[in-house]
Amino acid sequence: AQLLRQAISKLNNIGVTVLAVTSGATACGAETARALGVRINPQRIRCAFHHPPSSAHCIAYFFDVCHALHLIRNTLQYFQKIQWLSDTVQWQHVVELATLQEEKLLGPRSGHPVSKETYQLKVNLAAPLFSEGVADALEHLQKLGLASFQNCGGTVKFLRTMSRLCDVFHGRGPYGSGLKGPLLAGNYNKVSPLFHEAKSFFVTLTDSTGRYIIKSKRRLGFLSFLLNAES
């Protein structure tokens, strides 16, 4: 945190105004944020710090979205099932989908390994997993009546929520539309309902024993998205 403040001071000295900083979604990144005065409590989030400490200039703090997404993927795999009110998010749904795609690509007589170019869903990659395409595929298989996907509504909703959040945080281009638009004040009304929905979603997620995920040791991925939304 001290090194970061020194770097910001040197940038200010040469006329560069720092508006935000981004760190990895790690224990070290979270500790740095706390040392700067950022608060990552979901009930009392403080997403910015003053620099210099006595000034009115605030600098927003972000966690790297791709890193946070990977943590959430690991959390889902670790717990296998995550409860949200009356819905259930299940890791097995995406595993079944990946297996189904692999069997189809291999074919009944092929025996050849699946290449990187044709394999569509790798469950160890977070970004392709939390996508509209995977959510659409699960919904389609549910409509077809496949037994493995009959209760995948909660998983679909979770994947769509994460996909839309990623659209917002990756929307850097000035000509993007909808949720992929640039992070500007004029777009606040477009993204704020999604942020409120995500917060109500994340703070109620529980594991199979009823313990809140947001209070578990695997909470950092979800806390990262909540902090980013506030920032």
Side-chain angles (χ1 to χ4, degrees):
Q2 291 177 356
L3 289 172
L4 184 58
R5 287 193 183 278
Q6 289 179 21
I8 293 171
S9 295
K10 290 182 179 294
L11 288 168
N12 285 338
N13 291 340
I14 61 172
V16 177
T17 301
V18 177
L19 301 177
V21 298
T22 302
S23 81
T26 62
C28 181
E31 187 62 30
T32 300
R34 282 190 285 269
L36 290 168
V38 173
R39 184 180 293 147
I40 321 177
N41 185 317
Q43 305 305 324
R44 295 179 300 162
I45 292 180
R46 182 189 295 157
C47 64
F49 61 95
H50 292 277
H51 185 82
S54 58
S55 73
H57 177 54
C58 284
I59 298 175
Y61 199 93
F62 287 88
F63 284 113
D64 178 72
V65 172
C66 292
H67 198 172
L69 201 64
H70 193 75
L71 292 180
I72 291 176
R73 186 212 74 92
N74 290 350
T75 299
L76 181 56
Q77 184 182 24
Y78 176 80
F79 288 113
Q80 292 292 309
K81 292 183 180 181
I82 294 177
Q83 307 293 331
W84 176 70
L85 299 179
S86 59
D87 288 321
T88 304
V89 185
Q90 296 189 48
W91 173 252
Q92 190 61 28
H93 288 145
V94 293
V95 173
E96 293 279 357
L97 175 60
T99 302
L100 193 65
Q101 288 185 338
E102 183 175 1
E103 290 173 350
K104 182 178 178 181
L105 290 168
L106 282 171
R109 301 178 183 176
S110 170
H112 296 293
V114 180
S115 68
K116 291 182 179 179
E117 291 74 19
T118 57
Y119 190 55
Q120 298 179 24
L121 173 62
K122 290 181 179 294
V123 294
N124 62 325
L125 298 179
L129 173 62
F130 297 109
S131 67
E132 289 284 346
V134 174
D136 288 343
L138 289 175
E139 267 191 338
H140 179 67
L141 293 169
Q142 184 182 33
K143 291 177 182 177
L144 288 177
L146 274 72
S148 301
F149 303 97
Q150 285 312 291
N151 299 313
C152 67
T155 308
V156 169
K157 184 173 183 178
F158 181 72
L159 295 178
R160 286 222 163 94
T161 300
M162 298 309 305
S163 175
R164 290 166 183 169
L165 285 172
C166 289
D167 283 345
V168 172
F169 294 125
H170 288 149
R172 299 189 182 94
Y175 304 111
S177 60
L179 295 177
K180 295 183 180 181
L183 292 174
L184 299 173
N187 290 338
Y188 177 75
N189 289 335
K190 294 180 182 178
V191 300
S192 59
L194 174 63
F195 289 162
H196 290 308
E197 179 187 2
K199 182 175 182 179
S200 65
F201 191 19
F202 291 167
V203 299
T204 55
L205 291 172
T206 61
D207 62 15
S208 58
T209 65
R211 293 177 297 182
Y212 287 107
I213 304 294
I214 206 74
K215 296 180 180 179
S216 72
K217 292 182 178 180
R218 294 182 173 268
R219 63 186 178 272
L220 185 55
F222 295 104
L223 288 175
S224 297
F225 273 94
L226 292 179
L227 179 72
N228 287 3
E230 191 71 19
S231 292

